[in-house]
């Protein structure tokens, strides 16, 4: 295995499997052909035309559209066309979070190939032996990637909450980190990828943060999402990312970005160009 | 103006204006149609076929090929088909520096659309008022971008010298920086872009470095490339990059990358995704 394998794994999708999802003249996502056929066959809200899926009954206005789509998703869940509802609302946008046209249940976003936004933080400590990173193990009960290693703090970005506020909230919920500490996180960029998942397509933008933690701070779980935190020497992080699939898939990318920014992946690595470009993949 | 304008300015080229430059079955660059016609018309080393330019007389082997191409470039300079010769040798490669097929004079590289490699270092100081950056002004006698602001240290990467050695050399030549200090530079990634220049096409990979400098170190010029160094508060750097064309074109990108990694460009900037992807443009 090599670092670049994770880039490829996160960017696996075939454009031929998906068609545009259009609302009021805009392409807001991409839907799998099979799912588009299922929706059109219902003969209610969706219409297929020229190899594109249209939400034909979309009302005007953000709130009305959000309410109508909420009812549609509940119906689709009842019919088994979407696996479940999550409860959190994501913006439906072809660009930035601020340009949301309406909201969609987080679990339904990939079915419609809607752009997802998240925040991922690497908490590290400078020790006499070099860098060390706080690595949590996801609990066995998690729906996706149970028992896998994760970024120190990571979470999706619901609509209507600012980046700083949401980071503070996630830091507290996931690592029992007080706001004063969370606020010291440095925004260091973003990583993006697009992947064909079971449920559909996930074009994902992960805002990245580095947080240097004091040696006397120990993160601990505030909820049941994390089993325990471990402080790993950076060499162990490097080897586990490079040689295994033990990290949650997209977390590998956030760590590779960290390693590149900290000079921990050699610029002579033959994959270097592929890595730096691959961490900023085009989003459809 | 906005940061993103520099990304666009650095990535201005029309693929329709260029055709592949092929040697021994490999595409190693891209040549402007007009230049390809001129070369083919000489009726000696180059041949046009199926909208591609072939070096038809390329001998086997790295050294023989390098010697033959050196003679060709000298001839082209004599005919006025290339503007000048630089003297430094660049690798001709469609991938990494290590995969060089032969060498080309640095000034001739863009004529053949050969991938260029460079190193750019931002030297900064942590002050009580925040970050400050050492910014040199290029001398009035420079061939390109005279009197423009530059990255603290920046230079092309000739063939056969390692990244660390070349950085040390550039740091000494351009800023009178001792090796012990230069060695503290942190490799933080790379920026790439591709631009139609007067001479041809420049697909460029710039290896980037951050170097935190002690408050009592003052860079000074060792040669006549730099007129003088100035220590600017980071706000002045931000404003000059964002609002003016006073920096050498590609240096803007290296500073934008610095600003993003240090949390100095807001993640709420509507161009944020465009910036992070634009700093890692695909190379042809």
């Amino acid at each position: 295995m090599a670092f670049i394998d994770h880039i490829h794994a996160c960017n696996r999708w075939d454009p031929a499997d998906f068609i545009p999802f259009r609302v009021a003249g805009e392409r807001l996502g991409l839907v799998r052909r099979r799912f588009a056929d299922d929706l059109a066959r219902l003969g209610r809200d969706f219409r297929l035309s020229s190899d594109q899926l249209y939400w034909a009954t979309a009302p005007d206005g953000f709130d009305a559209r959000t309410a109508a789509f909420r009812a549609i998703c509940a119906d689709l869940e009842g019919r088994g066309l979407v696996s479940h509802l999550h409860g959190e609302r994501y913006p439906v946008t072809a660009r930035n979070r601020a340009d949301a046209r309406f909201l969609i249940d987080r679990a339904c976003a990939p079915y419609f190939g809607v752009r997802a936004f998240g925040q991922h933080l690497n908490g590290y400590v400078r020790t006499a032996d070099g860098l060390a990173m706080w690595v949590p193990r996801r609990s066995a009960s998690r729906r996706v990637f149970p028992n896998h290693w994760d970024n120190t703090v990571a979470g999706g970005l619901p609509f209507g909450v600012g980046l700083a506020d949401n980071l503070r909230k996630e830091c507290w919920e996931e690592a029992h980190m007080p706001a004063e500490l969370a606020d010291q996180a440095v925004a260091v960029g973003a990583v993006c990828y697009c992947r064909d998942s079971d449920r559909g397509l996930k074009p994902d933008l992960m805002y990245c943060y580095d947080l240097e933690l004091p040696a006397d701070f120990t993160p601990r779980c505030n909820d049941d999402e994390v089993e325990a935190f471990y402080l790993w020497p950076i060499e162990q992080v490097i080897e586990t990312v490079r040689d295994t699939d033990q990290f949650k898939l997209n977390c590998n990318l956030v760590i590779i970005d960290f390693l590149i920014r900290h000079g921990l992946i050699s610029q002579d690595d033959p994959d270097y160009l592929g890595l730096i470009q691959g961490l900023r993949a085009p989003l459809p």
Side-chain angles (χ1 to χ4, degrees), chain A:
Chain A
M1 282 194 70
F3 292 121
I4 198 81
D5 295 329
H6 297 299
I7 306 270
H8 296 149
C10 280
N11 285 286
R12 206 162 275 152
W13 73 289
D14 183 348
D17 292 342
F18 296 87
I19 63 172
F21 167 52
R22 298 187 72 92
V23 182
E26 274 188 310
R27 188 186 68 75
L28 294 179
L30 286 167
V31 285
R32 203 187 295 282
R33 289 179 177 282
R34 201 170 56 234
F35 183 66
D37 288 341
D38 288 344
L39 294 184
R41 206 173 298 124
L42 297 176
R44 290 159 49 136
D45 298 291
F46 299 97
R47 181 168 59 78
L48 267 176
S49 171
S50 315
D51 225 21
Q52 309 203 54
L53 182 77
Y54 292 82
W55 178 14
T57 59
D60 286 338
F62 185 92
D63 291 338
R65 210 170 271 180
T66 295
F69 209 75
R70 180 204 285 254
I72 287 173
C73 286
D75 178 62
L76 295 178
E77 196 226 359
R79 295 171 187 274
L81 286 175
V82 305
S83 60
H84 65 291
L85 300 179
H86 182 288
E88 249 175 43
R89 303 303 196 82
Y90 270 18
V92 179
T93 171
R95 295 171 41 83
N96 296 312
R97 294 172 72 226
D99 305 314
R101 301 309 192 216
F102 60 98
L103 302 181
I104 185 172
D105 186 274
R106 173 172 172 168
C108 296
Y111 288 97
F112 292 90
V114 161
R115 200 168 271 199
F117 300 86
Q119 290 175 302
H120 289 245
L121 178 147
N122 283 312
Y124 66 100
V125 182
R126 292 191 192 273
T127 76
D129 299 325
L131 294 187
M133 188 180 273
W134 279 106
V135 176
R137 185 194 279 276
R138 298 164 64 87
S139 28
S141 60
R142 296 294 288 271
R143 177 187 286 264
V144 292
F145 293 100
N147 297 316
H148 279 62
W149 307 110
D150 207 332
N151 295 132
T152 315
V153 172
L157 253 173
F159 181 73
V161 52
L163 292 166
D165 285 344
N166 196 64
L167 189 65
R168 224 177 271 147
K169 171 179 157 289
E170 293 284 345
C171 283
W172 177 253
E173 288 178 6
E174 297 198 355
H176 215 272
M177 203 181 279
E180 312 82 72
L181 198 49
D183 287 348
Q184 290 173 31
V186 179
V188 290
V191 164
C192 39
Y193 66 93
C194 180
R195 182 159 186 272
D196 186 337
S197 77
D198 292 346
R199 285 180 278 156
L201 194 67
K202 188 177 183 187
D204 198 10
L205 177 64
M206 302 184 285
Y207 293 103
C208 299
Y209 304 85
D210 282 5
L211 177 55
E212 183 175 346
L213 291 165
D216 62 358
F217 173 79
T218 300
R220 57 190 169 83
C221 345
N222 247 351
D223 59 22
D224 56 358
E225 298 200 343
V226 164
E227 177 215 275
F229 281 92
Y230 302 85
L231 185 63
W232 283 6
I234 200 69
E235 292 73 22
Q236 187 176 355
V237 177
I238 292 173
E239 286 162 19
T240 307
V241 168
R242 189 188 56 209
D243 303 335
T244 79
D245 286 321
Q246 294 174 12
F247 271 91
K248 176 169 176 279
L249 188 56
N250 60 2
C251 296
N252 288 294
L253 270 49
V254 178
I255 293 179
I256 292 170
D257 180 69
F258 178 95
L259 297 176
I260 284 180
R261 286 183 294 96
H262 288 264
L264 297 167
I265 294 181
S266 167
Q267 290 179 323
D268 286 320
D269 188 313
D271 291 328
Y272 199 75
L273 179 59
L275 289 174
I276 64 155
Q277 291 180 325
L279 293 172
R280 312 266 176 95
L283 297 182

